[in-house]
mmCIF file of all heavy atoms in Angstrom:
data_model
loop_
_atom_site.group_PDB
_atom_site.id
_atom_site.type_symbol
_atom_site.label_atom_id
_atom_site.label_comp_id
_atom_site.label_asym_id
_atom_site.label_seq_id
_atom_site.Cartn_x
_atom_site.Cartn_y
_atom_site.Cartn_z
ATOM 1 N N ASP A 30 116.549 27.970 -92.516
ATOM 2 C CA ASP A 30 116.466 28.009 -91.052
ATOM 3 C C ASP A 30 116.336 29.455 -90.558
ATOM 4 O O ASP A 30 116.931 30.377 -91.121
ATOM 5 C CB ASP A 30 117.698 27.363 -90.419
ATOM 6 C CG ASP A 30 117.770 25.874 -90.736
ATOM 7 O OD1 ASP A 30 116.754 25.331 -91.242
ATOM 8 O OD2 ASP A 30 118.813 25.265 -90.481
ATOM 9 N N ALA A 31 115.577 29.616 -89.481
ATOM 10 C CA ALA A 31 115.428 30.929 -88.851
ATOM 11 C C ALA A 31 116.387 31.045 -87.661
ATOM 12 O O ALA A 31 116.638 30.073 -86.966
ATOM 13 C CB ALA A 31 113.983 31.099 -88.369
ATOM 14 N N THR A 32 116.925 32.258 -87.468
ATOM 15 C CA THR A 32 117.852 32.474 -86.368
ATOM 16 C C THR A 32 117.530 33.789 -85.661
ATOM 17 O O THR A 32 116.873 34.660 -86.209
ATOM 18 C CB THR A 32 119.312 32.526 -86.847
ATOM 19 O OG1 THR A 32 119.451 33.576 -87.804
ATOM 20 C CG2 THR A 32 119.723 31.211 -87.494
ATOM 21 N N ASP A 33 118.039 33.910 -84.449
ATOM 22 C CA ASP A 33 117.880 35.129 -83.649
ATOM 23 C C ASP A 33 119.139 35.254 -82.812
ATOM 24 O O ASP A 33 119.715 34.244 -82.368
ATOM 25 C CB ASP A 33 116.629 35.039 -82.769
ATOM 26 C CG ASP A 33 116.283 36.368 -82.121
ATOM 27 O OD1 ASP A 33 116.733 37.400 -82.648
ATOM 28 O OD2 ASP A 33 115.581 36.367 -81.103
ATOM 29 N N LEU A 34 119.625 36.488 -82.591
ATOM 30 C CA LEU A 34 120.842 36.701 -81.794
ATOM 31 C C LEU A 34 120.581 37.808 -80.775
ATOM 32 O O LEU A 34 120.162 38.901 -81.132
ATOM 33 C CB LEU A 34 122.018 37.077 -82.687
ATOM 34 C CG LEU A 34 123.356 37.293 -81.971
ATOM 35 C CD1 LEU A 34 123.855 35.979 -81.363
ATOM 36 C CD2 LEU A 34 124.402 37.834 -82.943
ATOM 37 N N ASP A 35 120.844 37.491 -79.500
ATOM 38 C CA ASP A 35 120.610 38.435 -78.424
ATOM 39 C C ASP A 35 121.895 38.616 -77.617
ATOM 40 O O ASP A 35 122.453 37.643 -77.082
ATOM 41 C CB ASP A 35 119.502 37.930 -77.497
ATOM 42 C CG ASP A 35 118.165 37.830 -78.223
ATOM 43 O OD1 ASP A 35 117.422 38.813 -78.219
ATOM 44 O OD2 ASP A 35 117.893 36.751 -78.824
ATOM 45 N N PRO A 36 122.392 39.861 -77.503
ATOM 46 C CA PRO A 36 123.626 40.090 -76.750
ATOM 47 C C PRO A 36 123.389 39.895 -75.258
ATOM 48 O O PRO A 36 122.309 40.160 -74.721
ATOM 49 C CB PRO A 36 123.977 41.541 -77.066
ATOM 50 C CG PRO A 36 122.674 42.175 -77.453
ATOM 51 C CD PRO A 36 121.857 41.096 -78.097
ATOM 52 N N ILE A 37 124.424 39.411 -74.556
ATOM 53 C CA ILE A 37 124.411 39.326 -73.108
ATOM 54 C C ILE A 37 125.623 40.053 -72.555
ATOM 55 O O ILE A 37 126.595 40.292 -73.275
ATOM 56 C CB ILE A 37 124.403 37.867 -72.593
ATOM 57 C CG1 ILE A 37 125.669 37.120 -73.021
ATOM 58 C CG2 ILE A 37 123.153 37.142 -73.079
ATOM 59 C CD1 ILE A 37 125.766 35.731 -72.398
ATOM 60 N N ALA A 38 125.544 40.434 -71.295
ATOM 61 C CA ALA A 38 126.628 41.155 -70.611
ATOM 62 C C ALA A 38 127.260 40.210 -69.590
ATOM 63 O O ALA A 38 126.584 39.809 -68.629
ATOM 64 C CB ALA A 38 126.104 42.411 -69.952
ATOM 65 N N VAL A 39 128.543 39.865 -69.793
ATOM 66 C CA VAL A 39 129.252 38.991 -68.877
ATOM 67 C C VAL A 39 130.130 39.863 -67.980
ATOM 68 O O VAL A 39 131.103 40.471 -68.449
ATOM 69 C CB VAL A 39 130.109 37.950 -69.625
ATOM 70 C CG1 VAL A 39 130.764 37.002 -68.628
ATOM 71 C CG2 VAL A 39 129.251 37.184 -70.619
ATOM 72 N N HIS A 40 129.769 39.940 -66.703
ATOM 73 C CA HIS A 40 130.492 40.772 -65.740
ATOM 74 C C HIS A 40 131.527 39.921 -64.991
ATOM 75 O O HIS A 40 131.400 38.700 -64.896
ATOM 76 C CB HIS A 40 129.506 41.382 -64.752
ATOM 77 C CG HIS A 40 128.470 42.257 -65.390
ATOM 78 N ND1 HIS A 40 128.635 43.614 -65.580
ATOM 79 C CD2 HIS A 40 127.237 41.954 -65.912
ATOM 80 C CE1 HIS A 40 127.567 44.107 -66.178
ATOM 81 N NE2 HIS A 40 126.696 43.121 -66.392
ATOM 82 N N PRO A 41 132.571 40.552 -64.448
ATOM 83 C CA PRO A 41 133.638 39.780 -63.801
ATOM 84 C C PRO A 41 133.180 39.080 -62.528
ATOM 85 O O PRO A 41 132.279 39.576 -61.809
ATOM 86 C CB PRO A 41 134.697 40.844 -63.459
ATOM 87 C CG PRO A 41 134.291 42.070 -64.172
ATOM 88 C CD PRO A 41 132.840 41.981 -64.455
ATOM 89 N N LEU A 42 133.824 37.970 -62.227
ATOM 90 C CA LEU A 42 133.724 37.369 -60.913
ATOM 91 C C LEU A 42 134.420 38.295 -59.913
ATOM 92 O O LEU A 42 135.269 39.106 -60.295
ATOM 93 C CB LEU A 42 134.397 36.002 -60.905
ATOM 94 C CG LEU A 42 133.774 34.941 -61.815
ATOM 95 C CD1 LEU A 42 134.739 33.757 -61.983
ATOM 96 C CD2 LEU A 42 132.435 34.463 -61.239
ATOM 97 N N PRO A 43 134.109 38.205 -58.614
ATOM 98 C CA PRO A 43 134.749 39.091 -57.632
ATOM 99 C C PRO A 43 136.281 39.048 -57.703
ATOM 100 O O PRO A 43 136.929 40.104 -57.605
ATOM 101 C CB PRO A 43 134.229 38.552 -56.298
ATOM 102 C CG PRO A 43 132.879 37.994 -56.622
ATOM 103 C CD PRO A 43 133.033 37.386 -57.984
ATOM 104 N N ALA A 44 136.860 37.867 -57.895
ATOM 105 C CA ALA A 44 138.325 37.784 -57.958
ATOM 106 C C ALA A 44 138.866 38.469 -59.198
ATOM 107 O O ALA A 44 139.915 39.124 -59.166
ATOM 108 C CB ALA A 44 138.751 36.309 -57.919
ATOM 109 N N GLN A 45 138.172 38.336 -60.321
ATOM 110 C CA GLN A 45 138.593 39.009 -61.547
ATOM 111 C C GLN A 45 138.483 40.530 -61.397
ATOM 112 O O GLN A 45 139.385 41.268 -61.782
ATOM 113 C CB GLN A 45 137.715 38.542 -62.724
ATOM 114 C CG GLN A 45 137.915 37.074 -63.081
ATOM 115 C CD GLN A 45 136.899 36.598 -64.103
ATOM 116 O OE1 GLN A 45 135.751 37.067 -64.144
ATOM 117 N NE2 GLN A 45 137.286 35.635 -64.934
ATOM 118 N N GLU A 46 137.381 40.959 -60.798
ATOM 119 C CA GLU A 46 137.181 42.385 -60.592
ATOM 120 C C GLU A 46 138.281 42.960 -59.705
ATOM 121 O O GLU A 46 138.767 44.083 -59.943
ATOM 122 C CB GLU A 46 135.793 42.636 -59.981
ATOM 123 C CG GLU A 46 135.471 44.115 -59.795
ATOM 124 C CD GLU A 46 134.055 44.319 -59.319
ATOM 125 O OE1 GLU A 46 133.129 43.833 -60.000
ATOM 126 O OE2 GLU A 46 133.878 44.955 -58.269
ATOM 127 N N ARG A 47 138.664 42.212 -58.668
ATOM 128 C CA ARG A 47 139.696 42.703 -57.748
ATOM 129 C C ARG A 47 141.022 42.911 -58.474
ATOM 130 O O ARG A 47 141.724 43.909 -58.251
ATOM 131 C CB ARG A 47 139.872 41.719 -56.586
ATOM 132 C CG ARG A 47 140.938 42.120 -55.581
ATOM 133 C CD ARG A 47 140.557 43.390 -54.842
ATOM 134 N NE ARG A 47 141.654 43.867 -54.005
ATOM 135 C CZ ARG A 47 142.592 44.718 -54.417
ATOM 136 N NH1 ARG A 47 142.558 45.186 -55.654
ATOM 137 N NH2 ARG A 47 143.543 45.110 -53.593
ATOM 138 N N ILE A 48 141.406 41.986 -59.348
ATOM 139 C CA ILE A 48 142.682 42.111 -60.058
ATOM 140 C C ILE A 48 142.623 43.237 -61.090
ATOM 141 O O ILE A 48 143.571 44.021 -61.210
ATOM 142 C CB ILE A 48 143.048 40.769 -60.706
ATOM 143 C CG1 ILE A 48 143.434 39.762 -59.609
ATOM 144 C CG2 ILE A 48 144.175 40.929 -61.710
ATOM 145 C CD1 ILE A 48 143.720 38.384 -60.097
ATOM 146 N N LEU A 49 141.520 43.363 -61.802
ATOM 147 C CA LEU A 49 141.393 44.454 -62.762
ATOM 148 C C LEU A 49 141.404 45.804 -62.057
ATOM 149 O O LEU A 49 141.984 46.784 -62.555
ATOM 150 C CB LEU A 49 140.098 44.279 -63.577
ATOM 151 C CG LEU A 49 140.052 43.058 -64.496
ATOM 152 C CD1 LEU A 49 138.701 42.955 -65.186
ATOM 153 C CD2 LEU A 49 141.176 43.082 -65.530
ATOM 154 N N THR A 50 140.766 45.864 -60.892
ATOM 155 C CA THR A 50 140.791 47.101 -60.105
ATOM 156 C C THR A 50 142.206 47.442 -59.663
ATOM 157 O O THR A 50 142.616 48.608 -59.666
ATOM 158 C CB THR A 50 139.875 46.964 -58.883
ATOM 159 O OG1 THR A 50 138.519 46.751 -59.323
ATOM 160 C CG2 THR A 50 139.907 48.233 -58.022
ATOM 161 N N ALA A 51 142.980 46.401 -59.296
ATOM 162 C CA ALA A 51 144.366 46.636 -58.856
ATOM 163 C C ALA A 51 145.186 47.253 -60.001
ATOM 164 O O ALA A 51 145.977 48.181 -59.759
ATOM 165 C CB ALA A 51 144.984 45.319 -58.402
ATOM 166 N N PHE A 52 145.013 46.762 -61.212
ATOM 167 C CA PHE A 52 145.737 47.356 -62.341
ATOM 168 C C PHE A 52 145.332 48.813 -62.541
ATOM 169 O O PHE A 52 146.172 49.677 -62.822
ATOM 170 C CB PHE A 52 145.529 46.557 -63.609
ATOM 171 C CG PHE A 52 146.422 45.359 -63.742
ATOM 172 C CD1 PHE A 52 145.916 44.073 -63.749
ATOM 173 C CD2 PHE A 52 147.790 45.530 -63.862
ATOM 174 C CE1 PHE A 52 146.751 42.972 -63.868
ATOM 175 C CE2 PHE A 52 148.649 44.436 -63.973
ATOM 176 C CZ PHE A 52 148.115 43.151 -63.963
ATOM 177 N N ALA A 53 144.040 49.107 -62.417
ATOM 178 C CA ALA A 53 143.586 50.486 -62.525
ATOM 179 C C ALA A 53 144.200 51.353 -61.426
ATOM 180 O O ALA A 53 144.633 52.486 -61.683
ATOM 181 C CB ALA A 53 142.054 50.541 -62.461
ATOM 182 N N ASN A 54 144.271 50.826 -60.208
ATOM 183 C CA ASN A 54 144.870 51.581 -59.097
ATOM 184 C C ASN A 54 146.358 51.814 -59.315
ATOM 185 O O ASN A 54 146.925 52.784 -58.796
ATOM 186 C CB ASN A 54 144.652 50.829 -57.773
ATOM 187 C CG ASN A 54 143.217 50.836 -57.328
ATOM 188 O OD1 ASN A 54 142.410 51.671 -57.787
ATOM 189 N ND2 ASN A 54 142.840 49.923 -56.461
ATOM 190 N N LEU A 55 147.016 50.926 -60.068
ATOM 191 C CA LEU A 55 148.447 51.090 -60.374
ATOM 192 C C LEU A 55 148.678 52.043 -61.538
ATOM 193 O O LEU A 55 149.835 52.315 -61.897
ATOM 194 C CB LEU A 55 149.080 49.725 -60.707
ATOM 195 C CG LEU A 55 149.233 48.749 -59.523
ATOM 196 C CD1 LEU A 55 149.678 47.374 -60.033
ATOM 197 C CD2 LEU A 55 150.207 49.285 -58.493
ATOM 198 N N GLY A 56 147.603 52.537 -62.132
ATOM 199 C CA GLY A 56 147.735 53.536 -63.199
ATOM 200 C C GLY A 56 147.604 53.000 -64.610
ATOM 201 O O GLY A 56 147.773 53.763 -65.580
ATOM 202 N N PHE A 57 147.314 51.700 -64.767
ATOM 203 C CA PHE A 57 147.134 51.140 -66.094
ATOM 204 C C PHE A 57 145.783 51.572 -66.664
ATOM 205 O O PHE A 57 144.779 51.586 -65.947
ATOM 206 C CB PHE A 57 147.235 49.614 -66.070
ATOM 207 C CG PHE A 57 148.643 49.116 -65.916
ATOM 208 C CD1 PHE A 57 149.223 49.022 -64.659
ATOM 209 C CD2 PHE A 57 149.386 48.746 -67.011
ATOM 210 C CE1 PHE A 57 150.532 48.585 -64.503
ATOM 211 C CE2 PHE A 57 150.682 48.298 -66.881
ATOM 212 C CZ PHE A 57 151.262 48.212 -65.620
ATOM 213 N N GLN A 58 145.778 51.916 -67.939
ATOM 214 C CA GLN A 58 144.548 52.384 -68.596
ATOM 215 C C GLN A 58 144.076 51.358 -69.616
ATOM 216 O O GLN A 58 144.869 50.897 -70.470
ATOM 217 C CB GLN A 58 144.770 53.717 -69.295
ATOM 218 C CG GLN A 58 145.093 54.856 -68.322
ATOM 219 C CD GLN A 58 145.219 56.191 -69.030
ATOM 220 O OE1 GLN A 58 145.349 56.245 -70.250
ATOM 221 N NE2 GLN A 58 145.163 57.267 -68.267
ATOM 222 N N PHE A 59 142.793 51.024 -69.538
ATOM 223 C CA PHE A 59 142.218 50.033 -70.452
ATOM 224 C C PHE A 59 142.360 50.498 -71.887
ATOM 225 O O PHE A 59 142.067 51.665 -72.218
ATOM 226 C CB PHE A 59 140.755 49.796 -70.108
ATOM 227 C CG PHE A 59 140.031 48.918 -71.106
ATOM 228 C CD1 PHE A 59 140.262 47.544 -71.146
ATOM 229 C CD2 PHE A 59 139.144 49.459 -72.015
ATOM 230 C CE1 PHE A 59 139.616 46.735 -72.072
ATOM 231 C CE2 PHE A 59 138.474 48.669 -72.936
ATOM 232 C CZ PHE A 59 138.716 47.289 -72.958
ATOM 233 N N ARG A 60 142.818 49.607 -72.769
ATOM 234 C CA ARG A 60 142.982 49.900 -74.184
ATOM 235 C C ARG A 60 141.944 49.198 -75.033
ATOM 236 O O ARG A 60 141.247 49.799 -75.842
ATOM 237 C CB ARG A 60 144.383 49.496 -74.660
ATOM 238 C CG ARG A 60 144.627 49.674 -76.155
ATOM 239 C CD ARG A 60 146.023 49.217 -76.543
ATOM 240 N NE ARG A 60 146.261 49.363 -77.968
ATOM 241 C CZ ARG A 60 146.002 48.435 -78.870
ATOM 242 N NH1 ARG A 60 145.498 47.241 -78.473
ATOM 243 N NH2 ARG A 60 146.230 48.625 -80.139
ATOM 244 N N ASN A 61 141.838 47.862 -74.875
ATOM 245 C CA ASN A 61 140.957 47.075 -75.714
ATOM 246 C C ASN A 61 140.861 45.669 -75.133
ATOM 247 O O ASN A 61 141.654 45.288 -74.276
ATOM 248 C CB ASN A 61 141.516 47.001 -77.155
ATOM 249 C CG ASN A 61 140.510 46.435 -78.136
ATOM 250 O OD1 ASN A 61 139.383 46.899 -78.200
ATOM 251 N ND2 ASN A 61 140.906 45.432 -78.890
ATOM 252 N N ALA A 62 139.882 44.919 -75.586
ATOM 253 C CA ALA A 62 139.772 43.501 -75.198
ATOM 254 C C ALA A 62 139.371 42.718 -76.436
ATOM 255 O O ALA A 62 138.469 43.130 -77.176
ATOM 256 C CB ALA A 62 138.744 43.319 -74.086
ATOM 257 N N ASP A 63 140.045 41.599 -76.665
ATOM 258 C CA ASP A 63 139.631 40.757 -77.789
ATOM 259 C C ASP A 63 139.862 39.294 -77.419
ATOM 260 O O ASP A 63 140.429 38.972 -76.384
ATOM 261 C CB ASP A 63 140.385 41.118 -79.084
ATOM 262 C CG ASP A 63 141.885 40.924 -78.972
ATOM 263 O OD1 ASP A 63 142.346 40.278 -78.016
ATOM 264 O OD2 ASP A 63 142.602 41.417 -79.848
ATOM 265 N N CYS A 64 139.373 38.417 -78.276
ATOM 266 C CA CYS A 64 139.506 36.980 -78.057
ATOM 267 C C CYS A 64 140.348 36.395 -79.174
ATOM 268 O O CYS A 64 140.157 36.721 -80.344
ATOM 269 C CB CYS A 64 138.131 36.321 -78.016
ATOM 270 S SG CYS A 64 137.119 36.840 -76.616
ATOM 271 N N GLU A 65 141.274 35.530 -78.792
ATOM 272 C CA GLU A 65 142.182 34.882 -79.729
ATOM 273 C C GLU A 65 141.859 33.391 -79.780
ATOM 274 O O GLU A 65 141.766 32.733 -78.738
ATOM 275 C CB GLU A 65 143.646 35.065 -79.287
ATOM 276 C CG GLU A 65 144.058 36.507 -79.105
ATOM 277 C CD GLU A 65 144.426 37.165 -80.423
ATOM 278 O OE1 GLU A 65 144.685 36.430 -81.398
ATOM 279 O OE2 GLU A 65 144.451 38.411 -80.476
ATOM 280 N N LYS A 66 141.727 32.860 -80.994
ATOM 281 C CA LYS A 66 141.498 31.437 -81.104
ATOM 282 C C LYS A 66 142.800 30.689 -80.818
ATOM 283 O O LYS A 66 143.876 31.060 -81.277
ATOM 284 C CB LYS A 66 141.014 31.058 -82.509
ATOM 285 C CG LYS A 66 140.599 29.599 -82.613
ATOM 286 C CD LYS A 66 140.008 29.262 -83.971
ATOM 287 C CE LYS A 66 139.596 27.783 -84.012
ATOM 288 N NZ LYS A 66 139.034 27.390 -85.331
ATOM 289 N N GLY A 67 142.703 29.609 -80.034
ATOM 290 C CA GLY A 67 143.874 28.828 -79.693
ATOM 291 C C GLY A 67 143.914 28.488 -78.219
ATOM 292 O O GLY A 67 142.971 28.790 -77.480
ATOM 293 N N HIS A 68 145.012 27.862 -77.793
ATOM 294 C CA HIS A 68 145.178 27.475 -76.406
ATOM 295 C C HIS A 68 146.472 28.012 -75.847
ATOM 296 O O HIS A 68 147.475 28.113 -76.570
ATOM 297 C CB HIS A 68 145.160 25.943 -76.279
ATOM 298 C CG HIS A 68 143.793 25.333 -76.471
ATOM 299 N ND1 HIS A 68 143.229 25.181 -77.716
ATOM 300 C CD2 HIS A 68 142.893 24.865 -75.582
ATOM 301 C CE1 HIS A 68 142.027 24.636 -77.594
ATOM 302 N NE2 HIS A 68 141.798 24.431 -76.311
ATOM 303 N N ILE A 69 146.465 28.348 -74.601
ATOM 304 C CA ILE A 69 147.641 28.842 -73.909
ATOM 305 C C ILE A 69 148.449 27.638 -73.424
ATOM 306 O O ILE A 69 147.906 26.773 -72.720
ATOM 307 C CB ILE A 69 147.271 29.753 -72.724
ATOM 308 C CG1 ILE A 69 146.395 30.906 -73.214
ATOM 309 C CG2 ILE A 69 148.518 30.268 -72.038
ATOM 310 C CD1 ILE A 69 145.778 31.710 -72.095
ATOM 311 N N ARG A 70 149.694 27.594 -73.795
ATOM 312 C CA ARG A 70 150.540 26.453 -73.426
ATOM 313 C C ARG A 70 150.598 26.304 -71.901
ATOM 314 O O ARG A 70 150.869 27.251 -71.171
ATOM 315 C CB ARG A 70 151.953 26.627 -73.999
ATOM 316 C CG ARG A 70 152.867 25.434 -73.787
ATOM 317 C CD ARG A 70 154.239 25.671 -74.366
ATOM 318 N NE ARG A 70 154.184 25.827 -75.820
ATOM 319 C CZ ARG A 70 154.435 26.949 -76.471
ATOM 320 N NH1 ARG A 70 154.753 28.040 -75.800
ATOM 321 N NH2 ARG A 70 154.376 26.993 -77.786
ATOM 322 N N GLY A 71 150.308 25.077 -71.433
ATOM 323 C CA GLY A 71 150.406 24.792 -69.997
ATOM 324 C C GLY A 71 149.174 25.138 -69.186
ATOM 325 O O GLY A 71 149.179 24.953 -67.967
ATOM 326 N N VAL A 72 148.133 25.658 -69.833
ATOM 327 C CA VAL A 72 146.923 26.039 -69.105
ATOM 328 C C VAL A 72 145.763 25.159 -69.604
ATOM 329 O O VAL A 72 145.570 24.989 -70.802
ATOM 330 C CB VAL A 72 146.570 27.530 -69.330
ATOM 331 C CG1 VAL A 72 145.239 27.884 -68.683
ATOM 332 C CG2 VAL A 72 147.685 28.419 -68.787
ATOM 333 N N ARG A 73 145.012 24.607 -68.672
ATOM 334 C CA ARG A 73 143.869 23.761 -69.026
ATOM 335 C C ARG A 73 142.708 24.629 -69.496
ATOM 336 O O ARG A 73 142.199 25.452 -68.769
ATOM 337 C CB ARG A 73 143.464 22.908 -67.811
ATOM 338 C CG ARG A 73 142.207 22.035 -68.054
ATOM 339 C CD ARG A 73 142.024 21.062 -66.906
ATOM 340 N NE ARG A 73 141.907 21.711 -65.633
ATOM 341 C CZ ARG A 73 140.764 22.173 -65.123
ATOM 342 N NH1 ARG A 73 139.636 22.047 -65.811
ATOM 343 N NH2 ARG A 73 140.732 22.746 -63.932
ATOM 344 N N GLN A 74 142.303 24.416 -70.750
ATOM 345 C CA GLN A 74 141.179 25.165 -71.327
ATOM 346 C C GLN A 74 140.141 24.208 -71.886
ATOM 347 O O GLN A 74 140.496 23.156 -72.433
ATOM 348 C CB GLN A 74 141.652 26.048 -72.491
ATOM 349 C CG GLN A 74 142.401 27.298 -72.101
ATOM 350 C CD GLN A 74 142.888 28.026 -73.349
ATOM 351 O OE1 GLN A 74 144.094 28.154 -73.564
ATOM 352 N NE2 GLN A 74 141.965 28.480 -74.181
ATOM 353 N N GLU A 75 138.869 24.577 -71.769
ATOM 354 C CA GLU A 75 137.790 23.852 -72.407
ATOM 355 C C GLU A 75 137.327 24.560 -73.666
ATOM 356 O O GLU A 75 136.913 23.907 -74.640
ATOM 357 C CB GLU A 75 136.627 23.658 -71.439
ATOM 358 C CG GLU A 75 136.950 22.743 -70.283
ATOM 359 C CD GLU A 75 135.742 22.463 -69.394
ATOM 360 O OE1 GLU A 75 134.639 22.986 -69.725
ATOM 361 O OE2 GLU A 75 135.891 21.752 -68.408
#
């Protein structure tokens, strides 16, 4: 089988951007972002 992979850029929704901006305004500095396999207890996930 032949395959191809193309990266995309997923930017925040306005509400997400507002909260991330608030943390930056409070002095928090971005360290890293990763994804964890699994589900958060009590939160509906697809």
Side-chain angles (χ1 to χ4, degrees):
D30 294 349
T32 59
D33 190 21
L34 182 65
D35 296 270
I37 63 173
V39 183
H40 300 269
L42 296 165
Q45 293 172 329
E46 183 174 304
R47 179 66 187 91
I48 289 176
L49 294 177
T50 298
F52 277 116
N54 290 341
L55 290 172
F57 285 83
Q58 295 184 345
F59 173 74
R60 176 181 179 270
N61 192 51
D63 62 14
C64 294
E65 304 278 342
K66 187 175 182 181
H68 287 77
I69 304 170
R70 186 180 295 112
V72 175
R73 176 170 57 87
Q74 286 176 243
E75 292 185 1

